[in-house]
Amino acid sequence: QVQLVESGGGLVQAGGSLRLSCQASGSSVGAFIMGWYRQAPGNQRELLATITGGGRTTYVDSVKGRFTISRDSRKNTVSLQMNNLKPEDTAVYYCNSVSQGLPWGPGTQVTVSS
């Protein structure tokens, strides 16, 4: 059973940057399409970015050009570099497999102040 643990969140001013990390354990996720999601209070969880095992990426328009998803299959990790953060990026951020639907981790809180 794969377990996912997110880290790297925090409080940052608008325009700042954060780098989130997702550590998978229990089994390799190297072959899975992985994604970063976020959920703001009162909103549904939304998929922001995906990355295939081969490194092909996709982004939703709201984060395109600001966020970069990457993975290190040797370390079994997936990362999200977030630049030029905006107050509307405030949410709890999660990673998961888009293709496998793994148990959700605890997420990591990102708060962007204006």
Side-chain angles (χ1 to χ4, degrees), residues 2 10 13 15 17 20 28 30 33 36-37 39-42 46 50 58 63 67 73 77-78 82 85 92 94 100 109:
V2 176
Q13 288 188 331
S17 299
L20 307 183
S28 173
I33 301 173
W36 277 96
Y37 300 73
Q39 186 168 20
E46 63 171 328
T50 68
T58 67
V63 307
F67 291 10
S73 295
T77 59
V78 182
M82 306 188 297
L85 283 160
V92 180
Y94 304 86
Q100 298 295 320
Q109 175 71 48

Side-chain angles (χ1 to χ4, degrees), residues 8-11 18 20 39 41 89-93 106-112:
L11 173 64
L18 284 172
L20 307 183
Q39 186 168 20
D89 293 319
T90 295
V92 180
Y93 285 69
T108 186
Q109 175 71 48
V110 172
T111 303
V112 185

Side-chain angles (χ1 to χ4, degrees), residues 48-85:
L48 305 174
T50 68
I51 185 166
T52 67
R56 187 167 65 244
T57 59
T58 67
Y59 301 91
V60 296
D61 287 346
S62 61
V63 307
K64 197 174 295 184
R66 299 189 299 123
F67 291 10
T68 303
I69 188 171
S70 61
R71 70 192 304 164
D72 186 333
S73 295
R74 293 173 300 175
K75 295 181 180 179
N76 218 19
T77 59
V78 182
S79 298
L80 186 69
Q81 176 67 42
M82 306 188 297
N83 298 327
N84 190 23
L85 283 160

Side-chain angles (χ1 to χ4, degrees), residues 1-4 24-29 32 76 100-104:
Q1 180 83 339
V2 176
Q3 293 183 326
L4 301 169
S25 61
S27 185
S28 173
V29 296
F32 300 167
N76 218 19
Q100 298 295 320
L102 304 171
W104 291 95

